[in-house]
Amino acid sequence: MRIVKSPGAMQRLAKRWQREGIRVGLVPTMGCLHAGHLSLVHRARRLTGKDGKVVVSIYVNPAQFGPREDFTSYPRDFMRDARLCRESGVDVVFAPTNAQMYPANSRGPFSTFVVEEDLSRRMEGASRPMHFRGVTTVVAKLFNLVRPTLAVFGSKDYQQASVIKRMVRDLNFPLRIVVAPTVREPDGLAMSSRNKYLRGPLRRQAVTLRHSIQRIRAAVRKSPTPIRAARLKSELRKFIERASAVRLDYVEFFDPERLTPASKVAPGTHMALAAFVGKTRLIDNASL
Ligand code: AMP
């Protein structure tokens, strides 16, 4: 396995692979890898084949964090990540620095961003302004540097995957986006690097997000007619407030393709929520 730090070196390697007709699968991450990330790596390997190349990018992208968010405290453990990648059969770990990704020098500041203007406005985009602008910009850069045949994203970040698919369609990036299922802890909590922040009672209460989805799904499946979204939202708020350390940020019911809000909820409607557990902000989603 190679560790590539410089964007120039990554792009040269990618161009060589392209000339040789080698299939390349990219898994973009912010590191602090867990089984959810590794499931994307295995999917990338299956899809590129044994002659293909799997690249994992490890980069905590400052542009997708808000000024009061956890950019500086975000968990980082590069040695462990590199070992996990090696054990998972990754060919290249691409781990650039901020100065390399967002250069600013005598020729001027970094001043070009990619913005998706429809799907990225709601939910995460409404709660975290500028978040998706950071995501689409860094992912566009990664696509230009790694030139992948395909890139694998997790449905844990459902809206993110939708925004990236839209960007790829709109800007004609020549690759396929694959979305892989959410990997969960035994109690149902979606795996996340941020789960590291949770200890004791906070960890126990974090599963409330998953339980919320399960409750709503059971209600929706039992009901012979669609249920009003407003009613489900107010019931959910009450359910979540029973967990003393959990504060709901948003819950939304929406069309799985267009992400437009649904006023009536039925099987097949998608649900996403974000909640603070103590100071840690967690998200989850599922098709109902
Ligand atoms: P992150 O490092 O959190 O930016 O995530 C990198 C990629 O891993 C994204 O495509 C995420 O959607 C995906 N991912 C994160 N957590 C999970 C999970 N529990 N199951 C599956 N994919 C995940």
Side-chain angles (χ1 to χ4, degrees):
M1 187 184 81
R2 267 177 77 172
I3 295 175
V4 176
K5 298 225 154 158
S6 120
M10 184 68 245
Q11 205 171 42
R12 282 193 294 280
L13 188 58
K15 280 185 187 161
R16 201 180 82 209
W17 288 339
Q18 201 170 39
R19 277 198 304 276
E20 293 169 3
I22 292 172
R23 287 172 67 77
V24 179
L26 170 66
V27 180
T29 82
M30 299 203 299
C32 193
L33 301 181
H34 51 66
H37 295 118
L38 298 179
S39 75
L40 309 186
V41 170
H42 296 310
R43 174 69 86 86
R45 172 57 70 201
R46 274 203 304 284
L47 293 170
T48 50
K50 68 176 175 19
D51 299 327
K53 301 287 183 190
V54 173
V55 178
V56 172
S57 61
I58 297 183
Y59 180 58
V60 185
N61 173 34
Q64 71 189 67
F65 287 79
R68 277 180 296 280
E69 292 180 358
D70 56 345
F71 172 68
T72 41
S73 61
Y74 194 84
R76 293 163 170 88
D77 190 346
F78 186 75
M79 297 308 278
R80 178 174 171 277
D81 289 346
R83 177 172 56 76
L84 288 172
C85 285
R86 190 173 293 112
E87 288 167 3
S88 306
V90 169
D91 297 288
V92 169
V93 166
F94 175 50
T97 64
N98 292 334
Q100 287 169 318
M101 288 298 267
Y102 296 101
N105 55 30
S106 56
R107 285 153 61 206
F110 182 95
S111 57
T112 308
F113 293 86
V114 178
V115 181
E116 193 285 326
E117 298 193 330
D118 174 35
L119 306 175
S120 66
R121 291 277 162 88
R122 295 179 270 276
M123 298 188 279
E124 287 301 287
S127 275
R128 306 179 68 192
M130 314 299 266
H131 169 68
F132 283 120
R133 170 186 188 256
V135 170
T136 40
T137 301
V138 83
V139 170
K141 285 171 69 73
L142 290 170
F143 288 171
N144 284 329
L145 294 170
V146 179
R147 300 176 165 226
T149 322
L150 59 97
V152 189
F153 291 83
S155 61
K156 156 84 185 350
D157 299 272
Y158 188 85
Q159 188 181 10
Q160 169 175 280
S162 304
V163 169
I164 299 291
K165 280 192 279 189
R166 178 68 65 85
M167 176 186 85
V168 163
R169 188 203 71 177
D170 288 353
L171 300 185
N172 307 94
F173 280 99
L175 79 155
R176 178 177 149 213
I177 300 298
V178 176
V179 183
T182 302
V183 176
R184 297 177 180 279
E185 300 288 354
D187 68 352
L189 175 66
M191 288 192 179
S192 162
S193 307
R194 290 190 170 95
N195 293 351
K196 284 238 173 353
Y197 299 139
L198 305 169
R199 298 262 179 261
L202 292 182
R203 171 62 188 83
R204 282 194 294 280
Q205 290 192 23
V207 77
T208 305
L209 277 83
R210 180 60 177 162
H211 289 166
S212 301
I213 293 175
Q214 287 168 328
R215 269 178 83 93
I216 301 276
R217 182 186 276 142
V220 166
R221 296 218 173 151
K222 214 170 64 195
S223 172
T225 52
I227 309 178
R228 277 192 316 114
R231 198 185 106 198
L232 289 175
K233 282 184 191 179
S234 79
E235 283 174 12
L236 190 84
R237 213 165 264 284
K238 282 191 210 120
F239 172 71
I240 284 190
E241 279 164 12
R242 296 205 319 232
S244 57
V246 184
R247 184 169 59 81
L248 185 65
D249 182 4
Y250 67 80
V251 54
E252 201 51 81
F253 300 96
F254 55 90
D255 172 82
E257 292 296 323
R258 301 287 300 271
L259 309 193
T260 42
S263 55
K264 301 264 183 162
V265 182
T269 305
H270 212 94
M271 166 179 175
L273 77 166
F276 288 92
V277 180
K279 290 196 172 100
T280 304
R281 188 172 180 283
L282 301 178
I283 57 173
D284 204 346
N285 74 87
S287 173
L288 294 174

